[in-house]
């Protein structure tokens, strides 16, 4: 049926009048009452778009429109809805018929002769109806200036001044009967901690055997004492760093206090006698592990996100830190000065990992790329970035030095080769955990048979390295499980830490 604009509105009687014509003998009940919706049959309404828009605009402009329930041919003063008085005044004309006046253009102040520079206002002149902004009086301005100056001074002082360092020893005697401190590797734990050999065969941890609690806020990172792993260092959002025993009574030995904001990362030197801490107060601090004394402070006014000593024995005086201003900064501990800057990333630097016998290091960043650097050469010689790649805020080198496990923000652990080509191993992708938005640290078992990682749900996930199958999942923490470490000399001991402030030992 060809439909045009209604010239009149049919009445109720007309629409529901009896039909004329012969009755269809074959008409069934279903044919008589078709349904195209739940409550029955709805006919499509045919309304001319232009007429509808004309009345809508008239109503929104003048406040009146034709009454749709009345035949438009019989329209008189009482057939309008809305502002009937206005309709009478305008004689029922629509927006298009009245030729609704456009708002007058705002006039600007006239501004002198173009030849006179001082008086000429030109296109910058104010509008005639523009009111001047209220300005404070002289006294009020003076008071405002004083307040802003005080605030700036206060802010500057808080930023510039590093927090006072102090340390608390939690054990009665720092030295044993032979004069050895807690840094000395214990000989009576039934395992040869001095040997560099990893266990022959590792097994899945089954249950929790100990909880270290002492941090009042979430734990950000944990690090085992180099080589032996008989001590555990942890840093937290409560601005403190703590040193714990892994064997024996598993006590908290020492607390290091010296940062005014959450501590983000920590790193031991090769012997474990010193460690670095990086915090959101923009300071990197070097501490003595034995005495708890803060040896030196470093800052470039930016937030350090990660920090690493150079693992070479002859370069233990150098360390690198990934900063919030996209740079990797290299400091010399002896002079306290910046000796090199690696400035190629396009986002904050999240991780630094030494590879290839410490001749090179790999960095990842918020710019979703992975870059490989030669030590002391500030130009990346390898740049890996794919359109499908996500940010990788946690990276771990495998015990055999051949692979890099990268925690990707798309809930996967990706494996890159750590020798020469740095290619992605597409056959080894570990899935099944939720980590989007968190930098959950990954680790390998010492015999390279398992990969462990925490996740956003507080679970500890364990995969088989060869098959990439998710073997085991343990509910480890109430909040995010941010880090998981497999003990280098134990067959099945894993240490986890979470944002619930606890550090747990699993066996």
């Amino acid at each position: 049926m060809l439909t045009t604009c209604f010239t009149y509105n049919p009445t109720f009687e007309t629409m529901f009048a009896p039909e004329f014509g012969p009755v269809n003998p074959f008409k069934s009940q279903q044919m008589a009452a078709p349904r195209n919706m739940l409550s029955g049959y709805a006919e499509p309404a045919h309304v001319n778009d232009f007429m509808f828009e004309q009345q809508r605009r008239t109503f929104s402009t003048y406040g009146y429109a034709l009454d749709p329930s009345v035949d438009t041919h019989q329209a008189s003063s009482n057939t309008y809805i809305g502002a009937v008085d206005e309709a009478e005044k305008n004689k029922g004309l629509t927006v298009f018929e009245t030729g609704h006046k456009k708002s007058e253009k705002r006039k600007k102040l006239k501004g002198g002769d173009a030849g006179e520079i001082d008086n000429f206002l030109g296109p910058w002149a104010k509008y005639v109806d523009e009111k001047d902004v209220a300005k404070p009086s002289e006294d009020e301005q003076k008071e405002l200036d004083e307040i802003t100056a005080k605030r700036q001074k206060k802010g500057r002082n808080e930023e510039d001044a590093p927090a006072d360092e102090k340390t608390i020893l939690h054990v009665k005697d720092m030295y044993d009967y032979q004069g050895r401190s807690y840094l000395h590797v214990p000989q009576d734990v039934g395992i040869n901690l001095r040997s560099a050999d990893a266990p022959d065969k590792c097994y899945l941890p089954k249950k929790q055997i100990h909880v270290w609690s002492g941090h009042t806020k979430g734990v950000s990172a944990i690090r085992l004492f180099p080589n032996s792993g008989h001590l555990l260092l942890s840093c937290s959002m409560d601005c403190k760093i703590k040193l714990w025993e892994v064997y024996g009574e598993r006590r908290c030995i020492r607390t290091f206090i010296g940062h005014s904001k959450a501590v983000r990362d920590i790193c031991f030197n090769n012997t474990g006698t010193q460690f670095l801490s990086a915090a959101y107060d923009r300071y990197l601090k070097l501490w003595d592990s034995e005495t708890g004394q803060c040896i030196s402070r470093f800052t470039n006014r930016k937030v350090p996100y990660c920090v690493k000593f150079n693992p070479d024995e002859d370069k233990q005086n150098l360390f690198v830190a990934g900063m919030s201003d996209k740079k990797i900064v290299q400091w010399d501990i002896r002079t306290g000065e910046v000796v090199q800057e690696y400035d190629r990333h396009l986002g904050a630097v999240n991780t630094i990992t030494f590879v290839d016998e410490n001749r090179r290091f790999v960095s990842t960043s918020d710019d979703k790329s992975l870059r490989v650097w030669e030590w002391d050469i500030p130009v990346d010689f390898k740049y890996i970035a794919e359109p499908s790649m996500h940010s990788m805020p946690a990276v771990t080198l495998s015990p055999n030095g051949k692979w890099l496990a990268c925690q990707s923000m798309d809930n996967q652990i990706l494996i890159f080769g750590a020798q020469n080509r740095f290619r992605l191993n597409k056959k080894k992708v570990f899935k099944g955990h939720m980590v989007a938005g968190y930098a959950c640290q990954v680790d390998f078992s010492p015999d390279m048979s398992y990969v462990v990682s925490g996740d956003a749900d507080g679970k500890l996930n364990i995969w088989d390295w060869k098959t990439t199958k998710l073997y085991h999942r343990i509910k480890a923490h109430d909040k995010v499980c941010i880090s998981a470490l497999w003990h280098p000399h134990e067959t099945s001991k894993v240490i986890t830490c979470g944002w619930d402030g606890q550090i747990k030992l699993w066996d």
Side-chain angles (χ1 to χ4, degrees):
M1 181 177 93
L2 183 66
T3 310
T4 55
C5 164
F6 279 144
T7 52
Y8 75 99
N9 286 334
T11 61
F12 178 85
E13 288 78 14
T14 313
M15 290 178 74
F16 289 92
E19 290 179 14
F20 295 107
V23 178
N24 182 356
F26 305 107
K27 196 171 188 180
S28 66
Q29 185 62 32
Q30 273 184 324
M31 284 171 72
R35 288 161 69 94
N36 65 354
M37 57 184 289
L38 197 66
S39 57
Y41 182 76
E43 281 190 353
H46 296 283
V47 181
N48 184 295
D49 288 339
F50 174 74
M51 291 291 286
F52 179 83
E53 188 62 18
Q54 183 188 41
Q55 293 302 321
R56 188 189 69 77
R57 286 196 191 183
T58 305
F59 189 81
S60 63
T61 308
Y62 296 126
Y64 65 84
L66 285 171
D67 187 346
S69 63
V70 180
D71 187 345
T72 50
H73 285 297
Q74 302 158 2
S76 62
S77 61
N78 61 353
T79 60
Y80 292 95
I81 55 165
V84 178
D85 301 341
E86 193 71 23
E88 286 174 359
K89 198 167 81 179
N90 283 353
K91 298 177 184 173
L93 295 173
T94 63
V95 157
F96 301 116
E97 290 164 337
T98 57
H100 186 53
K101 288 179 185 174
K102 289 181 183 172
S103 58
E104 289 183 11
K105 196 172 181 184
R106 291 173 74 190
K107 290 180 181 175
K108 286 192 170 185
L109 292 166
K110 291 280 192 310
D113 182 27
E116 296 176 26
I117 294 171
D118 295 333
N119 298 329
F120 182 61
L121 297 174
W124 305 277
K126 289 183 177 178
Y127 290 103
V128 173
D129 57 347
E130 196 173 328
K131 291 174 183 171
D132 286 330
V133 179
K135 288 183 180 174
S137 64
E138 278 186 29
D139 294 342
E140 287 172 333
Q141 189 60 48
K142 216 177 196 179
E143 206 174 318
L144 279 169
D145 291 341
E146 278 177 23
I147 291 166
T148 49
K150 264 184 196 173
R151 278 184 187 163
Q152 284 174 346
K153 193 176 176 186
K154 190 180 173 188
R156 210 178 294 124
N157 286 352
E158 279 178 5
E159 271 187 23
D160 291 351
D164 294 331
E165 295 90 9
K166 60 178 184 176
T167 181
I168 302 164
L169 184 69
H170 299 285
V171 292
K172 200 182 278 181
D173 298 315
M174 193 168 148
Y175 302 99
D176 64 5
Y177 68 96
Q178 284 187 322
R180 300 175 302 189
S181 77
Y182 50 74
L183 297 188
H184 183 264
V185 180
Q187 307 296 303
D188 57 348
V189 292
I191 192 164
N192 186 9
L193 296 182
R194 290 199 176 277
S195 76
D197 301 330
D200 296 333
K201 177 89 178 79
C202 287
Y203 304 93
L204 295 176
K206 293 285 190 298
K207 65 179 193 292
Q208 174 188 312
I209 59 169
H210 186 72
V211 179
W212 289 283
S213 53
H215 285 296
T216 54
K217 289 185 182 173
V219 180
S220 328
I222 48 175
R223 301 282 181 264
L224 283 163
F225 196 81
N227 304 322
S228 65
H230 73 289
L231 296 174
L232 178 73
L233 190 68
S234 67
C235 65
S236 165
M237 295 171 203
D238 63 6
C239 316
K240 293 179 183 143
I241 303 158
K242 288 181 181 282
L243 191 65
W244 315 80
E245 288 178 326
V246 175
Y247 296 99
E249 294 175 45
R250 304 196 172 105
R251 302 166 296 178
C252 177
I253 298 172
R254 195 181 273 284
T255 301
F256 305 83
I257 304 165
H259 284 290
S260 58
K261 288 187 181 167
V263 187
R264 164 105 185 192
D265 197 18
I266 40 178
C267 179
F268 274 115
N269 66 359
N270 284 3
T271 54
T273 53
Q274 296 176 348
F275 68 87
L276 283 160
S277 62
Y280 285 104
D281 61 4
R282 301 184 175 152
Y283 276 90
L284 291 136
K285 296 194 176 185
L286 179 67
W287 304 80
D288 187 300
S289 309
E290 191 173 314
T291 63
Q293 181 195 352
C294 179
I295 301 163
S296 45
R297 311 172 192 90
F298 311 89
T299 183
N300 71 342
R301 315 294 336 122
K302 297 291 180 289
V303 179
Y305 281 177
C306 58
V307 62
K308 279 278 193 306
F309 270 103
N310 186 314
D312 276 346
E313 288 298 335
D314 59 339
K315 295 191 185 78
Q316 284 286 283
N317 59 302
L318 299 170
F319 72 89
V320 280
M323 313 301 284
S324 59
D325 66 343
K326 314 169 192 175
K327 292 180 185 173
I328 298 168
V329 184
Q330 184 178 318
W331 267 280
D332 191 327
I333 286 168
R334 297 170 299 190
T335 60
E337 288 176 6
V338 174
V339 291
Q340 185 63 275
E341 276 188 356
Y342 306 82
D343 184 11
R344 302 279 285 185
H345 274 294
L346 307 172
V349 181
N350 292 322
T351 69
I352 296 169
T353 314
F354 282 87
V355 295
D356 195 16
E357 295 176 355
N358 312 323
R359 287 192 289 265
R360 299 168 175 169
F361 64 90
V362 175
S363 63
T364 63
S365 156
D366 284 349
D367 64 10
K368 303 181 184 178
S369 72
L370 184 145
R371 292 173 195 258
V372 189
W373 314 76
E374 295 274 357
W375 176 256
D376 229 358
I377 298 172
V379 181
D380 50 334
F381 80 89
K382 184 101 181 164
Y383 168 68
I384 300 167
E386 297 287 334
S388 59
M389 264 172 71
H390 286 66
S391 174
M392 297 181 290
V395 177
T396 305
L397 184 68
S398 66
N400 60 13
K402 288 183 182 175
W403 307 102
L404 283 169
C406 305
Q407 185 78 264
S408 178
M409 281 294 194
D410 58 349
N411 301 321
Q412 296 186 127
I413 296 172
L414 304 177
I415 305 294
F416 288 86
Q419 293 167 334
N420 301 324
R421 302 290 295 276
F422 294 94
R423 276 166 61 182
L424 175 66
N425 187 337
K426 289 178 182 170
K427 288 180 183 174
K428 287 213 189 301
V429 178
F430 300 89
K431 298 178 186 173
H433 62 322
M434 281 284 294
V435 286
Y438 302 96
C440 297
Q441 195 63 49
V442 190
D443 201 16
F444 293 86
S445 64
D447 68 342
M448 284 285 298
S449 55
Y450 301 110
V451 174
V452 290
S453 165
D455 70 8
D457 302 325
K459 293 189 175 77
L460 170 65
N461 299 270
I462 306 167
W463 290 268
D464 180 52
W465 167 252
K466 279 187 181 154
T467 63
T468 71
K469 181 184 159 195
L470 181 59
Y471 262 154
H472 202 32
R473 184 182 273 158
I474 304 168
K475 177 67 177 164
H477 295 271
D478 295 334
K479 293 180 184 172
V480 183
C481 177
I482 204 72
S483 187
L485 289 179
W486 199 301
H487 198 285
H489 303 294
E490 299 280 358
T491 54
S492 61
K493 282 194 172 71
V494 175
I495 302 165
T496 62
C497 69
W499 283 9
D500 55 0
Q502 295 188 327
I503 304 163
K504 297 185 180 182
L505 180 64
W506 303 83
D507 193 3

